[in-house]
Amino acid sequence: MPDKKFSLFILLIFLALVLVHHSPFLTQVYHQGKDLVFCPFKRVTGLPCPGCGMTRAFWEMAGGNLKKALAFNPFSVVLLGLALADLALGERARRLEGVYRWLLPGLLIWWLIRVT
């Protein structure tokens, strides 16, 4: 399993988005900037990167909309689930190591299908 710090980092990002999602002012700021492109890969190539949609997916999960989150980037849902399992299960989470090993290849295959 990755370091617990990584799982904690993912969880803290999600919790911050939950707070932002429920703040009317910050939600308005998010929606005003949602069409901005920060990804250098997309700016140069015009194609979405493998991680494209993860921020929007986390945003939708923070608002409780799992269906939209899966549409933006299904690996965000998997990543949050793995981080939560890692923190909740402790040493018993070692069984999830196989999932982590297949996460990157799965993400790359999904990305190739997405851009073709």
Side-chain angles (χ1 to χ4, degrees), residues 7-79:
S7 295
L8 188 59
F9 176 71
I10 296 296
L11 184 61
L12 289 175
I13 287 173
F14 178 69
L15 292 175
L17 282 173
V18 168
L19 292 174
V20 169
H21 201 282
H22 291 89
S23 164
F25 171 73
L26 294 174
T27 298
Q28 182 181 6
V29 170
Y30 171 81
H31 286 294
Q32 287 174 349
K34 70 179 180 182
D35 294 325
L36 297 175
V37 177
F38 295 105
C39 177
F41 184 85
K42 188 167 185 171
R43 281 183 169 247
V44 171
T45 67
L47 298 171
C49 72
C52 192
M54 284 188 135
T55 302
R56 292 172 288 168
F58 268 86
W59 176 261
E60 292 299 337
M61 284 189 289
N65 195 336
L66 188 61
K67 188 175 180 179
K68 278 189 178 179
L70 287 166
F72 279 123
N73 192 318
F75 287 91
S76 300
V77 178
V78 173
L79 186 62

Side-chain angles (χ1 to χ4, degrees), residues 93-107:
R94 285 186 186 207
R95 297 178 192 155
L96 298 173
E97 280 187 26
V99 178
Y100 270 107
R101 281 191 211 122
W102 288 101
L103 196 59
L104 182 59
L107 178 65

Side-chain angles (χ1 to χ4, degrees), residues 41 45-50 107-116:
F41 184 85
T45 67
L47 298 171
C49 72
L107 178 65
L108 292 175
I109 290 168
W110 175 77
W111 174 70
L112 288 170
I113 293 168
R114 185 179 184 189
V115 296
T116 56

